[in-house]
Amino acid sequence: ISLAASVTSAACPNRDLCDGLRIRSFISSTTKEDFLQAMSDEFCGCKVVDRSININRPGNETYSSRDFDFLSSVEEIGDTLLIQNLNLTDNLTLPNLRLIRGRNLLEY
């Protein structure tokens, strides 16, 4: 059973606008549960993310797309969507995502 199975978009409050993250990552020393809860607190029920969504989780933990169900309401991202160092057992989808504006782009 997925850790985030109880945190689905149906259980989230509807929020038209969320701040999102300035380019930063959640600290890798947090537990998987704390990481998913922090991400859910930030994005659950959000339609428009003003800044970025940055999912960076180095380590050997495995995740399922169901762990990120709280992102299913996201329709627009103002800056960037960054997914790196994430060990997924299946494909992560954002079914309602329609636009990534890319106002502030990353350089590597």
Side-chain angles (χ1 to χ4, degrees), residues 15 17-24 26 39 41-43 46 48-54 74 76-80 103:
R15 299 187 289 168
L17 180 66
C18 299
D19 193 33
L21 305 174
R22 294 188 185 271
I23 303 303
R24 65 180 172 95
F26 286 98
M39 292 290 291
D41 290 347
E42 186 80 31
F43 299 111
C46 187
V48 176
V49 177
D50 188 44
R51 294 186 182 138
S52 296
I53 296 177
N54 182 0
V74 174
E76 180 179 322
I77 300 171
D79 287 338
T80 58
R103 289 186 306 241

Side-chain angles (χ1 to χ4, degrees), residues 77-92:
I77 300 171
D79 287 338
T80 58
L81 170 62
L82 176 65
I83 302 170
Q84 64 182 16
N85 301 317
L86 189 64
N87 187 9
L88 283 168
T89 59
D90 54 355
N91 292 327
L92 177 61

Side-chain angles (χ1 to χ4, degrees), residues 3-71:
L3 293 171
S6 62
V7 184
T8 63
S9 59
C12 300
N14 287 329
R15 299 187 289 168
D16 288 333
L17 180 66
C18 299
D19 193 33
L21 305 174
R22 294 188 185 271
I23 303 303
R24 65 180 172 95
S25 300
F26 286 98
I27 300 169
S28 61
S29 63
T30 62
T31 66
K32 180 177 180 177
E33 293 82 5
D34 289 345
F35 166 71
L36 290 172
Q37 186 61 55
M39 292 290 291
S40 178
D41 290 347
E42 186 80 31
F43 299 111
C44 194
C46 187
K47 290 182 181 178
V48 176
V49 177
D50 188 44
R51 294 186 182 138
S52 296
I53 296 177
N54 182 0
I55 303 172
N56 182 6
R57 194 68 180 161
N60 58 2
E61 298 164 323
T62 27
Y63 294 86
S64 163
S65 61
R66 288 186 47 122
D67 290 326
F68 297 92
D69 278 348
F70 53 82
L71 292 174

